[in-house]
Amino acid sequence: MKIIDRGSGTPVVLVPGIQGRWEWMQPAVDALSRQCRVITFSLADEPTSGASFDEASGFDCYVSQINDALDTAGVPSAIICGISYGGLIAASFAARYPNRTRGVVLASPIPPSWGPDARVRFLMRAPRLLSPVFCVNSLRLFVEMVAARAGLRSAISFAARHLLAVAKYRFSPALMARRVRLLDGNNLETELTQLRAPALIITGQADLDRVVPVSLSQEYLRLWPHASASTIARSGHLGSVTRPEEFADLVVRFADTISREHDQRRRVV
C-alpha cells in the first residue's frame, strides 16, 4: 500500500472523498503538513493505491486501509480526518478502532443515512457514458469557488488549476458509482453511536454546499452529542481545497485541544 507521509508533529490521517485519489486533496495536504504530520493515500480500489480491494468486503476495505496506513507509518494512533465520502470511512474506523483514534474530524461528510438523489442515480446508470454530463454538473461548484476566492478573476484561475488536476489525475465515474453502491444495505448508524472519541464536524455555508446539504452533515451532531461543529466561511463542499489554510487551522486547533485535555488528565492522575 502506498501512503503519503509529510510534515511532523501530531499525526493526522486524511481520508479522500468519493473521487478516491489523494491528489484531489493536495491543497489540504499541503496546508496541514505545514503544521502537523499528514498521512494519506488513495482509496483501495484506485489502480495507483498499491492496496488490495476485496469486492466481498466492499466498504470495509476502505476502513481497513486506515489501519494499514497507520501500521505502514509506524503510528499507534492519530487524528482521523475524512472528507465527504471519506467522512463516513473515517467515522466507521473511529468507532471500530477507538484505541487508534485520538479524535475524529469530518469535513462535509455524508452521514450513514445518506442515499443517492435523483441526479446521482441518473449518473450511476451509465457512469462512463454519462461522464460528460457529470463534468457539466460540476459547474454548479463554481458559485462556491467565486465566494471562496473572493472574486471572479481569482475563481476562474482556481477553476483552471482544478481542471488541470482533473485532467492529470483522472476521476473514474465507474469507481465513483461503485463506491456509492457499496453503501447499499450498510447499517452503520448503530455502530457509529458507540463512538466516544473527541469529534469535530466541519461544514461550509448551507447556501454554498451544492453536493452534501449541511443539514445532512450535521446529523453527526445527533449521533455524537459530545461533538463540536465549525463552519468555514465563504465555502461550501470544497472548503478543504478552496480555503485550505482555514481548514488546516480548524484541524490543528482541535488536535491541540485534545493534547491539552490529555495532559490535564495525566496531571490529575
Side-chain angles (χ1 to χ4, degrees):
M1 174 180 172
K2 299 175 183 177
I3 66 167
I4 306 301
D5 192 344
R6 294 183 181 173
S8 61
T10 301
V12 175
V13 175
L14 196 57
V15 185
I18 199 166
Q19 295 89 353
R21 295 283 294 265
W22 79 267
E23 290 92 347
W24 290 66
M25 306 183 300
Q26 183 80 53
V29 173
D30 291 344
L32 275 172
S33 63
R34 286 191 282 272
Q35 302 187 67
C36 57
R37 181 181 179 184
V38 181
I39 300 161
T40 190
F41 47 82
S42 296
L43 293 184
D45 49 352
E46 284 289 335
T48 60
S49 72
S52 59
F53 182 81
D54 176 19
E55 192 76 40
S57 298
F59 180 82
D60 288 345
C61 283
Y62 306 138
V63 179
S64 298
Q65 241 190 309
I66 300 175
N67 226 8
D68 295 341
L70 291 173
D71 289 343
T72 301
V75 174
S77 63
I79 304 291
I80 312 300
C81 179
I83 297 173
S84 190
Y85 185 92
L88 188 55
I89 299 171
S92 298
F93 177 86
R96 296 177 193 181
Y97 298 93
N99 293 335
R100 307 207 74 174
T101 304
R102 297 188 189 183
V104 59
V105 179
L106 309 183
S108 299
I110 62 171
S113 65
W114 181 87
D117 59 18
R119 178 184 61 83
V120 173
R121 289 196 300 272
F122 171 74
L123 293 172
M124 287 172 62
R125 291 179 184 176
R128 289 190 180 89
L129 181 64
L130 294 173
S131 57
V133 180
F134 175 88
C135 293
V136 171
N137 261 303
S138 297
L139 292 175
R140 71 193 190 283
L141 300 174
F142 188 67
V143 174
E144 174 184 350
M145 294 178 188
V146 172
R149 310 307 291 185
L152 183 60
R153 189 171 183 176
S154 179
I156 291 173
S157 176
F158 177 86
R161 293 194 301 273
H162 188 68
L163 286 173
L164 286 175
V166 170
K168 185 176 181 179
Y169 307 111
R170 294 182 181 180
F171 71 92
S172 170
L175 285 178
M176 292 168 66
R178 180 170 72 178
R179 288 164 190 155
V180 172
R181 293 190 185 98
L182 289 177
L183 299 179
D184 289 346
N186 270 339
N187 185 17
L188 297 173
E189 183 164 332
T190 300
E191 179 181 50
L192 295 189
T193 58
Q194 306 305 310
L195 181 111
R196 296 295 178 267
L200 171 64
I201 312 302
I202 299 175
T203 63
Q205 295 178 196
D207 60 324
L208 291 176
D209 195 325
R210 307 295 176 88
V211 180
V212 179
V214 169
S215 59
L216 283 183
S217 294
Q218 290 177 338
E219 284 188 20
Y220 282 98
L221 300 176
R222 173 182 61 81
L223 297 177
W224 303 335
H226 66 286
S228 55
S230 292
T231 300
I232 300 178
R234 303 202 331 268
S235 78
H237 196 69
L238 304 177
S240 59
V241 294
T242 58
R243 307 203 68 197
E245 300 297 338
E246 290 76 6
F247 167 76
D249 286 345
L250 288 174
V251 175
V252 171
R253 286 205 299 269
F254 174 72
D256 288 345
T257 298
I258 291 174
S259 296
R260 287 195 301 271
E261 291 176 350
H262 177 71
D263 290 343
Q264 289 172 357
R265 285 195 297 269
R266 289 184 62 184
R267 285 197 292 269
V268 169
V269 173

